Amino acid sequence: MSRKTRTISSAIVAVIAVAIASVALWPRSTSSSKDGAGPAASAGSADSANPANPANTATAEPATPEAVAKAFLDAWASGDYAKAGALTDNAKAAGPRLQAVMKSLNPASVQLTLGSQETVNHFNFTAVDTFGGGPQWKYGSLLAVVPASGTASPLVHWSSAIIHPQLGAQGTLTATPPPVAVVDAKGVPLSAAAHPSLSTVLAKLATARPGGSPAPTGLRINFVDVNTGAVIAGAPSYPVGASTTTAGLQLSTTLDDKVQSAAERALNAYPESGMVVIKPSTGGVLAMAGNSKTTAGLAYHATRAPGSTFKTITTAALMQAGVKPSDPAPCPPTSTVGSQTYHNDDGLKNGYPNATLADAFEQSCNTSYVGLRDRLSGLSALADEAKTYFGLNQPWDMGLGPATYCTADDRQVPVSDGQERFAAETFGQGNITMCPLTMASVAATVASGSFKQPILVPGAKQATATPLSADVAAGLRTLMRGVVTDGTATSLRGISSTLGAKTGTAEREGENPDSWMIVVDPQHDIAVACVVLNGGFGNDKAGPAIKAMLAGIGVGGR
């Protein structure tokens, strides 16, 4: 991010300098606050007392720039970000932006005090953010009001710099306790220097506060990149509250330095790739590695179609609906639904005669799954299966704060919007998005028979899901073993007698397909997912990458 996006313009800097140096023309001391009393505690929060409220225009005096500035601060302090946004000249951007930054900063209460009018329609104000445990951050800022024009009332001119003078459009604010050392499950120190693809994760873990621990009395305010969560280089940092030391303190994680190193080495040969390794019995993340110059945290931030690896979830739903692995699953060269014609990968371009469900899974026949969709319960079947049994479509808190990973929405597997889309989603295309983290969790659920939400901090509260039945879980493991011994995962043969897999080749419009692979090995209590963007067939890139990682931790040979 350029320095330009992190700081206010030179013009606003000059205005602030003038504001600080000048004598107040019309002194005011109107205070607004957000605390346990809620919006009613905010001065002037009642509609009848707000001259900027259009509902009161019949009895109130015409809105003045000062009244609008005060009403904006009132709404902000009370947490009514939609109302605050409506008092700006960019309501669509202002309300959500205010809400996002304040959610990230997370003060317990906010007090905003309107100060003096420094120049025409420019007002300074002070902010006091109080955090749990008592630390307070006090600072000054400035806002401008666009004058009334015709019948239009004055409006606050929106800019992120109102929140803080040095906040740019691509930044946000965090208040975190002093960092502690982060170690793996065996006590081995973990550092960004040793594990660059973990840098953002380690920075967040270093300032994480485990549930139930007392609120810190000392914090540091940082300006961070809204996309990556990394502290913005060159941006200011403000200590608030009591000075505390973290010498000798450390945070233990589920990560395994050996597995993390092996995953990182395995991805060196595959640009734009990511891999996650999970311990199925606990949900503990052993490794989360990436090799990307375009997607920070690709292993847990990518939003890509998972291709045929998703057939694992579809197959679970089919088996629960009564379809047996030995039941017919015709695999024609193509299958047409509405205006869309679906096809198989090149290896099955002529179809697969007399295919069963087991054949369709092992050989990865798309058209079989298109044909079997009528055995499912309707357009919501895959979304329901994903959440009910595989723990998807809900926030997870791995120790980094709650998030619904690998989707731009709140669900990785949305309800299908029609039969054409539903057909594509049976084999992992359509509107489904995943990343190695979520698909490694799918594999781990198959390995153990029940969803254990991925975690980075031992003891963290985990979201739950309904366990798979013993028959379905065993059936899926048998099918995944068949993918290795008789199907498309030829790169993983001879590694372990209990190792199973599912390949995926996810189509991309105008691009080479993504190479996917998920792996389970109950004998070693391990589940893996890997994607290589635009890497082609799943067995070509993702498979060899996983094989290299397994060799690096002593599972199988090279």
Side-chain angles (χ1 to χ4, degrees):
M1 178 182 302
S2 69
R3 184 171 296 275
K4 184 175 181 181
T5 62
R6 300 194 298 263
T7 60
I8 57 174
S9 68
S10 58
I12 294 180
V13 172
V15 171
I16 292 175
V18 171
I20 294 172
S22 64
V23 177
L25 300 180
W26 295 281
R28 294 289 185 271
S29 183
T30 303
S31 178
S32 308
S33 66
K34 174 187 176 184
D35 56 26
S42 176
S45 63
D47 285 349
S48 60
N50 183 3
N53 190 325
N56 300 319
T57 56
T59 57
E61 295 180 3
T64 64
E66 180 182 0
V68 170
K70 177 184 178 300
F72 170 78
L73 295 178
D74 281 348
W76 171 4
S78 70
D80 191 344
Y81 304 116
K83 183 177 180 180
L87 291 166
T88 74
D89 58 1
N90 191 352
K92 185 177 181 180
R97 175 67 167 149
L98 264 175
Q99 183 173 16
V101 174
M102 298 311 294
K103 181 179 179 181
S104 175
L105 187 61
N106 196 30
S109 66
V110 178
Q111 182 175 357
L112 302 171
T113 303
L114 185 65
S116 60
Q117 181 173 345
E118 300 302 331
T119 61
V120 176
N121 298 331
H122 286 75
F123 300 86
N124 65 39
F125 66 93
T126 58
V128 180
D129 295 322
T130 303
F131 300 87
Q136 288 188 328
W137 184 33
K138 302 178 182 179
Y139 64 91
S141 193
L142 187 76
L143 61 82
V145 179
V146 180
S149 176
T151 60
S153 298
L155 293 170
V156 173
H157 177 58
W158 173 247
S159 167
S160 291
I162 292 175
I163 304 173
H164 188 280
Q166 291 183 285
L167 181 65
Q170 298 301 314
T172 192
L173 296 166
T174 60
T176 57
V180 300
V182 179
V183 299
D184 79 351
K186 299 175 183 177
V188 178
L190 299 170
S191 69
H195 304 293
S197 65
L198 274 180
S199 58
T200 299
V201 170
L202 293 177
K204 289 184 176 181
L205 289 173
T207 57
R209 185 164 60 90
S213 60
T217 57
L219 298 169
R220 180 166 290 276
I221 309 297
N222 285 311
F223 293 75
V224 302
D225 187 299
V226 72
N227 295 312
T228 66
V231 174
I232 297 171
S237 178
Y238 301 102
V240 297
S243 176
T244 56
T245 178
T246 58
L249 300 179
Q250 64 183 32
L251 177 75
S252 295
T253 69
T254 63
L255 292 163
D256 186 308
D257 181 72
K258 181 178 180 180
V259 181
Q260 179 69 29
S261 297
E264 290 172 343
R265 288 193 301 270
L267 296 182
N268 284 340
Y270 305 103
E272 301 305 317
S273 59
M275 184 185 296
V276 171
V277 186
I278 290 176
K279 188 174 185 178
S281 61
T282 65
V285 176
L286 303 176
M288 204 155 57
N291 176 16
S292 176
K293 294 181 178 180
T294 63
T295 305
L298 187 151
Y300 57 99
H301 278 320
T303 54
R304 311 286 281 204
S308 291
T309 58
F310 188 80
K311 288 173 183 170
T312 308
I313 292 180
T314 307
T315 302
L318 288 168
M319 294 173 73
Q320 289 160 354
V323 181
K324 298 181 177 63
S326 58
D327 285 349
C331 177
T334 62
S335 182
T336 300
V337 178
S339 63
Q340 297 295 315
T341 298
Y342 303 98
H343 58 85
N344 301 310
D345 291 333
D346 288 347
L348 291 176
K349 64 182 178 181
N350 296 320
Y352 192 95
N354 305 314
T356 63
L357 177 60
D359 295 326
F361 189 87
E362 293 172 359
Q363 306 303 322
S364 208
C365 180
N366 296 338
T367 56
S368 292
Y369 282 84
V370 172
L372 288 169
R373 77 189 188 283
D374 291 338
R375 299 292 298 272
L376 300 174
S377 58
L379 297 179
S380 67
L382 297 177
D384 293 342
E385 182 74 16
K387 182 173 183 179
T388 302
Y389 295 97
F390 290 88
L392 298 165
N393 289 356
Q394 62 180 325
W396 299 346
D397 188 348
M398 298 194 297
L400 307 174
T404 306
Y405 288 93
C406 314
T407 175
D409 199 353
D410 58 357
R411 291 180 293 183
Q412 299 94 347
V413 188
V415 174
S416 301
D417 57 10
Q419 285 296 327
E420 292 182 6
R421 191 89 65 188
F422 188 42
E425 288 170 348
T426 62
F427 56 92
Q429 297 285 161
N431 288 333
I432 296 171
T433 60
M434 294 284 181
C435 64
L437 172 65
T438 51
M439 287 311 302
S441 178
V442 169
T445 299
V446 173
S448 68
S450 63
F451 168 70
K452 304 287 195 312
Q453 184 215 289
I455 52 173
L456 288 162
V457 180
K461 184 176 180 180
Q462 293 169 282
T464 60
T466 302
L468 295 168
S469 70
D471 288 346
V472 169
L476 290 171
R477 289 191 291 270
T478 298
L479 290 174
M480 292 183 73
R481 178 62 184 158
V483 174
V484 175
T485 58
D486 302 305
T488 54
T490 58
S491 60
L492 300 181
R493 290 176 183 170
I495 293 177
S496 166
S497 61
T498 60
L499 188 142
K502 184 68 194 81
T503 56
T505 305
E507 297 179 2
R508 303 280 300 175
E509 186 172 355
E511 302 177 16
N512 289 331
D514 290 343
S515 174
W516 279 93
M517 182 84 82
I518 60 173
V519 163
V520 298
D521 190 350
Q523 177 183 342
H524 295 94
D525 196 15
I526 198 170
V528 192
C530 179
V531 65
V532 180
L533 306 191
N534 308 125
F537 292 111
N539 193 55
D540 289 350
K541 299 288 178 64
I546 291 178
K547 180 178 182 179
M549 183 280 297
L550 292 172
I553 61 173
V555 178
R558 293 189 179 276

